[in-house]
Amino acid sequence: MQREVVRTAAALVIGNELLSGKTLDENLGPLAKALRSLGVRLCRAVVVEDDLETIAHEVSALHRAYDVVFTSGGVGPTHDDVTIDAVARAFATDVVIDAHFAALIRQAYGDSCTESHLRMARVPRGSELITSAEIAWPTVRFANVWVMPGVPEIFRMKLSLLRSRLTGPVTFSSSAVYTCIEESELKPLLDRVVAAHPEVEVGSYPKWRDPTYKTKVTLDATSESAKQAALELLLSLLPPGQLQRIE
Amino acid sequence: MQREVVRTAAALVIGNELLSGKTLDENLGPLAKALRSLGVRLCRAVVVEDDLETIAHEVSALHRAYDVVFTSGGVGPTHDDVTIDAVARAFATDVVIDAHFAALIRQAYGDSCTESHLRMARVPRGSELITSAEIAWPTVRFANVWVMPGVPEIFRMKLSLLRSRLTGPVTFSSSAVYTCIEESELKPLLDRVVAAHPEVEVGSYPKWRDPTYKTKVTLDATSESAKQAALELLLSLLPPGQLQRIE
């Protein structure tokens, strides 16, 4: 299957437990990495509570502003799982039981299958159910919105579906330069790199009380040669003995 | 000093490195926990790139919608540190060098102090600079927006300022019940707890392949007795032998 080319992405991370500090989100990092490796720019992430109206509003806004949207969490059989209803609300459609999904659930749970289990087959009407040879359990996609589960192990597993279906228009080329110079002293050097290579994104990250380095400088570009030229300029500007390592 | 009572909060987490998957955010979790312990509800968190217009727009929106806003990151001397300018833009004010802050920087860096160091004293005109006996280095606050640093160790240290200046109107009382029941089978029981105790927030979190439990149920209320009543009902509904532990 031809992969769809998407340029920009947004994430909507759902769950009271994340905002109350009970649970640390573990899904945004792996999603960001996966998208980056595909050449897709993750532009924005929003964390919201388990509130149907809030989620619907956010899905609607992100869906219009970005090429692809991933929701994380709020999928399941219980009262606090409102993501499916919220996505349906965002697209002004209703929620139906998907027959194929329901059959899968009946097969999986056999005689112990209840109405609660079958709630997991509820999808916004008009959804696509994405599966692969490895992942038979469907992932709901409506328009450009992928509805991903909150459980980190399952979320990470499902990133393979995304890799098989989407790709970015570019490849990012990146380097990280670890220096023994304090960020303030590095600034004039960085300003020269930024001015000479406007197509390269230069990041500067001070490290607090690390015995090995003081500031990490990152260089990112969609052209390997542009990134390399900026790297060479930076290295030529660094005073002797101030380079710790390059990654 | 009398602490200011705030009910709702939002977080704005700033940095390309978080959305490109290079760095995992470490600040949202500690902020969420600190606010929770104060009885302040963190309603929303947004992660954005190092873009002045985007940050300004977001600060402006969050400032109007929530009692207090915390930004994380984008504070420092380099070209990618645009949070101070963005906050000034959001409040239609300009950026000035704070004389007291600049004096502190001169004192700290002595003869090696440069223009780059002094850039850290740039603040939106009209800011309050918050310090404490323990933390002499100022934290910028403009209206209800606290500008916090991105470096996790410093961010966490500065949470003590927040504790000394803010408090929530309530105290949250919480319990977590770890059960050996699958979430779908637990649903009818939870529905009864939710129906009987509408003032208690009930959360349900399945655990994937954990040998010790299958579903964690959380109960949260602003009344200890309400939470306790919901807990007792839940425990009475659990089939024998299905309780793993209560926290």
Side-chain angles (χ1 to χ4, degrees):
Chain A
M1 184 187 291
Q2 187 86 18
R3 292 192 295 173
E4 186 188 343
V5 178
V6 292
R7 200 175 57 83
T8 61
L12 178 59
V13 183
I14 297 157
N16 290 0
E17 73 281 16
L18 305 167
L19 291 165
S20 65
K22 290 184 184 177
T23 306
L24 280 178
D25 163 64
E26 296 180 41
N27 295 345
L28 191 55
L31 176 65
K33 273 197 177 153
L35 290 170
R36 184 74 175 183
S37 71
L38 291 171
V40 179
R41 179 174 153 220
L42 178 61
C43 302
R44 178 182 179 83
V46 185
V47 189
V48 296
E49 296 176 318
D50 299 305
D51 178 71
L52 200 151
E53 283 303 330
T54 305
I55 301 167
H57 175 82
E58 208 63 52
V59 165
S60 180
L62 295 175
H63 142 73
R64 285 193 302 264
Y66 302 97
D67 292 345
V68 61
V69 178
F70 300 91
T71 70
S72 161
V75 183
T78 58
H79 63 282
D80 57 344
D81 294 316
V82 297
T83 303
I84 289 291
D85 295 86
V87 171
R89 175 85 56 100
F91 290 103
T93 186
D94 57 349
V95 173
V96 293
I97 294 276
D98 181 82
H100 170 68
F101 202 165
L104 265 178
I105 292 169
R106 283 200 192 88
Q107 195 184 338
Y109 289 95
D111 288 348
S112 65
C113 186
T114 65
E115 281 306 306
S116 298
H117 288 105
L118 290 171
R119 283 181 64 83
M120 291 186 279
R122 298 171 72 250
V123 304
R125 186 190 299 273
S127 293
E128 180 190 359
L129 296 192
I130 298 177
T131 57
S132 70
E134 297 76 35
I135 306 180
W137 204 259
T139 297
V140 173
R141 173 183 171 169
F142 191 98
N144 64 347
V145 179
W146 292 57
V147 179
M148 304 274 280
V151 176
E153 295 82 356
I154 311 181
F155 185 95
R156 285 196 297 269
M157 201 169 66
K158 291 201 168 188
L159 290 176
S160 69
L161 291 176
L162 182 162
R163 287 191 198 95
S164 69
R165 298 289 293 262
L166 302 174
T167 187
V170 295
T171 309
F172 291 108
S173 175
S174 304
S175 287
V177 178
Y178 294 77
T179 77
C180 307
I181 309 182
E182 204 202 294
E183 196 183 31
S184 289
E185 287 163 39
L186 202 55
K187 177 180 161 44
L189 281 60
L190 295 184
D191 286 344
R192 287 180 61 184
V193 178
V194 170
H197 297 280
E199 75 286 18
V200 179
E201 186 190 310
V202 181
S204 170
Y205 307 101
K207 183 76 183 176
W208 183 249
R209 293 181 179 157
D210 188 296
T212 64
Y213 76 97
K214 285 191 177 158
T215 309
K216 174 169 96 169
V217 178
T218 60
L219 303 167
D220 291 275
T222 54
S223 145
E224 167 69 19
S225 61
K227 188 267 295 173
Q228 198 57 31
L231 175 62
E232 280 162 22
L233 174 58
L234 174 62
L235 295 178
S236 75
L237 293 172
L238 278 185
Q242 299 301 298
L243 174 65
Q244 199 265 335
R245 72 181 191 276
I246 304 173
E247 276 178 6
Chain B
M1 183 186 292
Q2 187 86 18
R3 291 192 296 172
E4 185 188 343
V5 178
V6 291
R7 199 174 58 81
T8 61
L12 178 60
V13 183
I14 297 156
N16 291 359
E17 72 281 15
L18 305 167
L19 291 165
S20 64
K22 290 184 185 178
T23 306
L24 280 178
D25 163 66
E26 296 181 43
N27 294 346
L28 192 55
L31 176 65
K33 273 197 177 153
L35 290 170
R36 184 74 175 183
S37 71
L38 291 171
V40 179
R41 178 172 153 221
L42 178 61
C43 302
R44 179 183 179 83
V46 185
V47 188
V48 296
E49 297 176 318
D50 298 306
D51 178 72
L52 200 150
E53 285 301 331
T54 305
I55 300 168
H57 175 83
E58 208 63 52
V59 164
S60 179
L62 296 175
H63 142 73
R64 285 193 302 264
Y66 302 96
D67 292 346
V68 62
V69 178
F70 301 91
T71 70
S72 160
V75 183
T78 58
H79 64 283
D80 57 343
D81 295 315
V82 296
T83 303
I84 290 291
D85 295 86
V87 172
R89 175 85 56 98
F91 290 102
T93 186
D94 57 349
V95 173
V96 293
I97 294 277
D98 181 83
H100 170 68
F101 202 164
L104 265 179
I105 293 169
R106 283 200 193 87
Q107 194 183 340
Y109 290 94
D111 288 347
S112 65
C113 185
T114 65
E115 281 307 305
S116 298
H117 288 106
L118 291 171
R119 283 181 64 82
M120 292 187 279
R122 298 172 72 250
V123 304
R125 187 190 297 274
S127 294
E128 179 191 359
L129 296 191
I130 298 177
T131 57
S132 70
E134 297 77 34
I135 306 180
W137 204 259
T139 297
V140 173
R141 173 182 171 169
F142 191 99
N144 63 347
V145 179
W146 292 58
V147 179
M148 304 274 280
V151 177
E153 295 82 357
I154 311 180
F155 185 96
R156 286 196 297 270
M157 201 169 68
K158 291 200 167 187
L159 290 177
S160 69
L161 292 176
L162 182 163
R163 288 192 198 95
S164 69
R165 297 289 293 264
L166 303 174
T167 186
V170 295
T171 309
F172 291 107
S173 174
S174 303
S175 288
V177 179
Y178 293 78
T179 76
C180 307
I181 309 182
E182 205 201 294
E183 197 182 31
S184 290
E185 287 163 37
L186 202 55
K187 177 180 161 45
L189 281 61
L190 295 184
D191 286 346
R192 287 179 61 182
V193 178
V194 170
H197 297 281
E199 75 285 19
V200 178
E201 186 189 309
V202 181
S204 169
Y205 306 101
K207 184 75 181 174
W208 183 247
R209 293 182 179 157
D210 187 296
T212 64
Y213 76 97
K214 285 191 177 158
T215 309
K216 174 168 97 170
V217 178
T218 60
L219 302 167
D220 291 274
T222 54
S223 145
E224 167 69 19
S225 61
K227 188 268 294 174
Q228 199 58 29
L231 175 61
E232 281 163 22
L233 174 58
L234 174 62
L235 295 178
S236 75
L237 293 172
L238 279 184
Q242 299 302 297
L243 174 66
Q244 200 265 336
R245 70 181 192 277
I246 305 174
E247 276 178 6

